[in-house]
């Protein structure tokens, strides 16, 4: 079967639009389509939440694609590699230590989160590298170590500051506090990140052949790698600072896109962005309607779905190797 | 016209000099085979010309221009390198794989252009791999994939094509097929490749360079290079050289 690849983008956009309409209607209170646009609930609560979930989905989806590309490993994901946890520590430091200020018109939380996320990814990257190659095992183990350390630091921050409730719920990953301010906080990171990811997709493609072949294709491998690590950390950090720790988006979405469209980043980046938005929006709508009026945080929904999926991909990868 | 000039080249790895003061020139349109025992510096030489290893001393000129003045991207448009073993990219079709060769030309602000696709298809055709165009690269046999690997390099539209042991892991039928294709390609571009099989190299290359421990033992037409004396110098193996009556090329018989 041959799919016209560029049409896929339109199909995904349409799906996203339909899903957002469904999502606007659903919730603890069902809004009749007739009065939808007069409803305060829509404008004040649901709409910012829907938009935020889509933006976070885009950012986590692209971060996953980038990390998988530069590490040449389809199991890389900001959550599994401990980048999210690192960003979480940064954000919690900003919140807990009262470092929440505005610097040059930008909130300090994502900036601190970014610094810690970058630190985490660089540590994982260095630890996982054995003779210039990163193996799946070392990558995941390094991610576990960094995540565990970050969790401990987070627990310390919670204990010291006594802000158990607010930080803990934020950590679980949730869009329930979504506001338009969050959306404006995210936008610059999203724009810069996705533009860079798309414009550097030819380099990410060349890296599929390995470091040496990429060099002979004119790619400045060291520079591209560093730049892409920064872009992925930046987007993960921004997403974590508004919505907490949400895992597996960057793993699941690119995996399915590759299955249908192959690993060409020119397609992988935009389709994973849209796919991430659809997944996040859909999962969040499920989370807030399934056990209504009780709300399941999105981070919990994703972990419930994502962990088995991760094991499945891991297993398949080892089978394929034999 | 000179496609490649190497002058007093010294290069190798951080802790080990491999190429010791090498000088030679390759004329445009030649197919040069580099032969020599393991550790003679064949691969190191190719990797240095590809820009993968730094040159410690000396000079490399590509079509008269100094190698050092080229950016990585310009170098990628001049020299293409086919490594001894290239890994197929999971999920890529042959066309996708060959399109990677267009990296130095692809516009970063848009999708691959029609021209990029056209050149990739041309490269696939040159390597007689059209029947695989849409096939998954991981499903190809070694000989089929090697043609795709060379097509990928050809899609770079290089002036000089470098191949590291392009036939050493193939069966006889594919060895001959690849060499015939390369001989045909040389009409448009310069080819430098390393070989272990002296008879094959002698049969298909226009010129041979015999290396030992980073130095040239002989460089010239195959029957000048492959003499019993040179073989002894390079390999410490006794050989008898005959002229193949049909091809008129030097051919070796190794003596016990």
């Amino acid at each position: 079967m041959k799919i016209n690849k560029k049409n896929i983008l339109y199909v995904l956009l349409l799906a996203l639009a339909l899903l957002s309409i469904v999502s606007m209607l659903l919730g603890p209170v069902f809004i009749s389509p007739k009065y939808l646009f007069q409803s305060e609930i829509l404008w004040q609560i649901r709409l910012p939440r829907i938009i935020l979930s889509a933006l976070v989905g885009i950012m986590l989806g692209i971060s996953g694609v980038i990390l998988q590309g530069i590490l040449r490993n389809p199991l890389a994901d900001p959550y599994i590699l401990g980048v999210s946890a690192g960003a979480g520590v940064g954000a919690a430091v900003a919140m807990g230590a009262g470092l929440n200020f505005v610097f040059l018109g930008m909130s300090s939380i994502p900036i601190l989160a970014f610094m810690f996320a970058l630190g985490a990814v660089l540590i994982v990257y260095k630890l996982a590298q054995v003779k210039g190659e990163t193996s799946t095992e070392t990558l995941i183990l390094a991610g576990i170590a960094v995540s565990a350390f970050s969790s401990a630091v987070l627990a310390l921050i919670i204990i010291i500051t006594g802000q158990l409730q607010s930080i803990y719920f934020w950590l679980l990953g949730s869009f329930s506090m979504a506001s338009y301010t969050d959306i404006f906080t995210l936008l610059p990171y999203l724009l810069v990140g996705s533009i860079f990811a798309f414009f550097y997709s030819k380099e990410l493609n060349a890296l599929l052949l390995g470091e040496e072949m990429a060099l002979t294709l004119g790619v400045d491998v060291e520079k591209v790698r560093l730049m892409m690590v920064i872009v992925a950390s930046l987007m993960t950090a921004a997403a974590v600072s508004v919505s907490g720790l949400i895992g597996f988006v960057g793993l699941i979405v690119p995996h399915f896109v590759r299955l249908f469209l192959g690993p060409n980043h020119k397609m992988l980046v935009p389709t994973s962005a849209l796919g991430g938005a659809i997944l996040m929006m859909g999962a969040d709508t499920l989370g807030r309607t399934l056990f209504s009026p009780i709300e399941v945080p999105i981070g919990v929904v994703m972990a419930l779905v994502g962990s088995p999926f991760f094991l499945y991909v891991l297993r398949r990868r080892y089978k394929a190797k034999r | 016209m000179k496609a490649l000039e190497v002058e007093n080249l010294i290069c190798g790895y951080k802790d080990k000099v491999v190429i010791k003061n090498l000088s030679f020139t390759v004329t445009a349109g030649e197919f040069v085979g580099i032969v020599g025992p393991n550790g003679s510096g064949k691969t190191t030489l190719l990797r240095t010309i590809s820009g993968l290893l730094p040159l410690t001393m000396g000079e490399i000129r590509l079509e008269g221009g100094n190698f050092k003045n080229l950016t990585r991207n310009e170098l990628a448009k001049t020299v293409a390198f086919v490594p001894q073993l290239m890994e197929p990219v999971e999920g890529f079709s042959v066309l996708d794989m060959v399109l990677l060769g267009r990296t130095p030309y692809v516009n970063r602000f848009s999708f691959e252009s029609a021209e990029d696709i056209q050149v990739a298809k041309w490269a696939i055709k040159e390597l007689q791999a059209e029947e695989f165009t849409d096939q998954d690269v991981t499903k190809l046999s070694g000989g089929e994939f090697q043609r795709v690997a060379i097509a990928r390099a050809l899609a770079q539209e290089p002036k000089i094509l470098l191949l590291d042991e392009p036939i050493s892991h193939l069966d006889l039928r594919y060895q001959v097929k690849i060499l015939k294709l390369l001989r045909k390609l040389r009409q448009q571009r310069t080819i430098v490749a390393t070989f272990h099989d002296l008879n094959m190299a002698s049969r298909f290359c226009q010129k041979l360079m015999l290396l030992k421990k980073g130095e040239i033992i002989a460089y010239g037409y195959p029957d000048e290079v492959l003499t019993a004396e040179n073989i002894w110098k390079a390999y410490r193996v006794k050989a008898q050289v005959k002229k193949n009556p049909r091809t008129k090329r030097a051919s070796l018989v190794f003596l016990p």
Side-chain angles (χ1 to χ4, degrees), chain B:
Chain B
M1 201 179 76
K2 287 167 187 167
L4 171 66
E5 292 166 87
V6 172
E7 221 178 274
N8 305 109
L9 177 70
I10 299 175
C11 61
Y13 302 87
K14 263 180 213 149
D15 45 352
K16 196 178 159 212
V17 177
V18 181
I19 298 290
K20 298 156 193 160
N21 204 7
L22 214 60
S23 299
F24 63 90
T25 56
V26 176
T27 308
E30 275 181 338
F31 180 4
V32 175
I34 303 179
V35 293
N38 288 330
S40 58
K42 304 188 291 289
T43 305
T44 307
L45 180 58
L46 289 194
R47 286 164 55 89
T48 306
I49 302 169
S50 318
L52 289 174
L53 289 173
L55 42 162
T56 316
M57 289 252 256
E59 212 171 274
I60 297 175
R61 281 187 296 276
L62 300 166
E63 298 203 313
N66 195 329
F67 172 87
K68 279 182 184 161
N69 300 335
L70 295 177
T71 64
R72 254 195 199 292
N73 215 51
E74 287 165 344
L75 183 62
K77 291 176 180 177
T78 317
V79 177
F81 178 57
V82 181
Q84 193 178 353
L85 273 181
M86 194 154 86
E87 270 183 54
V89 178
E90 206 183 317
F92 259 179
S93 70
V94 167
L95 181 63
D96 289 326
M97 186 90 187
V98 175
L99 262 175
L100 289 181
R102 298 299 296 164
T103 304
Y105 300 89
V106 167
N107 180 353
R108 68 168 70 255
F109 304 112
S110 67
F111 291 94
E112 287 92 357
S113 70
E115 194 200 331
D116 292 323
I117 294 174
Q118 206 184 339
V119 174
K121 283 189 170 158
W122 162 81
I124 292 172
K125 200 172 163 209
E126 287 289 303
L127 271 298
Q128 296 176 10
E130 298 115 300
E131 53 180 315
F132 314 122
T133 306
D134 293 317
Q135 266 185 42
D136 191 331
V137 275
T138 49
K139 304 241 155 66
L140 301 178
S141 74
E144 290 162 352
F145 183 71
Q146 184 66 345
R147 276 188 275 161
V148 175
I150 298 172
R152 187 209 55 81
L154 198 59
Q156 274 172 259
E157 298 183 281
K159 307 281 191 318
I160 302 170
L161 190 57
L162 305 175
L163 304 102
D164 193 13
E165 295 189 21
I167 59 164
S168 57
H169 58 284
L170 302 178
D171 68 30
L172 190 59
R173 180 172 58 116
Y174 277 125
Q175 292 193 0
V176 172
K177 173 142 192 161
I178 296 271
L179 284 169
K180 279 186 173 167
L181 285 167
L182 287 177
R183 192 172 55 181
K184 213 181 84 197
L185 283 179
R186 135 183 107 74
Q187 291 157 359
Q188 305 146 30
R189 52 194 29 86
T190 314
I191 300 178
V192 180
T194 62
F195 294 100
H196 267 309
D197 189 327
L198 298 176
N199 283 325
M200 281 288 184
S202 155
R203 167 81 179 77
F204 288 94
C205 296
Q206 269 181 310
K207 280 192 180 167
L208 291 182
M209 182 187 300
L210 181 58
L211 290 182
K212 189 188 185 182
K213 291 184 177 161
E215 284 171 276
I216 295 178
I217 298 221
Y219 179 41
Y221 295 107
D223 47 349
E224 299 166 10
V225 173
L226 296 182
T227 62
E229 197 195 341
N230 284 339
I231 301 292
W232 175 254
K233 265 196 214 160
Y235 295 91
R236 294 287 167 216
V237 169
K238 280 183 183 153
Q240 190 183 357
V241 183
K242 290 177 173 171
K243 204 165 217 172
N244 184 320
R246 264 190 57 219
T247 60
K248 309 265 188 287
R249 297 287 182 120
S251 149
L252 302 172
V253 178
F254 297 102
L255 304 173

Side-chain angles (χ1 to χ4, degrees), chain A residues 1-21:
Chain A
M1 190 178 66
K2 210 157 156 81
I3 317 159
N4 186 338
K5 291 185 173 175
K6 276 166 202 160
N7 283 344
I8 294 271
L9 285 174
Y10 297 114
V11 173
L12 286 173
L13 267 177
L14 189 71
L16 186 63
L18 288 176
L19 182 64
S20 53
I21 292 170

Side-chain angles (χ1 to χ4, degrees), chain A residues 199 202-203 212-213 264 266, chain B residues 47 103 106-108 110:
Chain A
F199 287 173
K202 74 166 187 173
E203 280 84 356
E212 290 216 325
M213 286 322 289
N264 185 343
K266 293 249 172 190
Chain B
R47 286 164 55 89
T103 304
V106 167
N107 180 353
R108 68 168 70 255
S110 67

Side-chain angles (χ1 to χ4, degrees), chain A residues 273-302:
Chain A
L274 289 174
I278 290 172
L279 179 66
M280 268 304 78
M281 200 191 281
D284 188 45
T285 308
L286 273 183
R288 66 189 163 85
T289 51
L290 216 54
F291 301 107
S292 177
I294 299 170
E295 198 172 278
V296 186
I298 179 80
V300 176
V301 178
M302 284 313 298

Side-chain angles (χ1 to χ4, degrees), chain A residues 175-256:
Chain A
F175 293 122
S176 60
M177 302 300 279
S179 69
Y180 288 109
T181 322
D182 289 339
I183 293 172
F184 289 120
T185 308
L186 278 195
L187 271 179
Y189 296 95
L190 176 119
L191 286 176
V192 171
S194 38
I195 287 171
F196 263 88
F198 182 74
F199 287 173
Y200 277 83
S201 47
K202 74 166 187 173
E203 280 84 356
L204 290 172
N205 278 343
L207 277 169
L208 289 171
L209 289 173
E211 191 174 324
E212 290 216 325
M213 286 322 289
L215 280 170
T216 69
L217 286 166
V219 176
D220 189 341
V221 174
E222 281 307 309
K223 194 185 98 190
V224 168
R225 267 214 192 117
L226 184 65
M227 209 152 69
M228 289 293 108
V229 162
I230 290 175
V231 168
S233 316
L234 207 59
M235 287 203 287
T236 305
V240 166
S241 16
V242 300
S243 61
L245 303 191
I246 304 172
F248 304 105
V249 187
L251 174 79
I252 296 174
V253 175
H255 183 85
F256 278 108

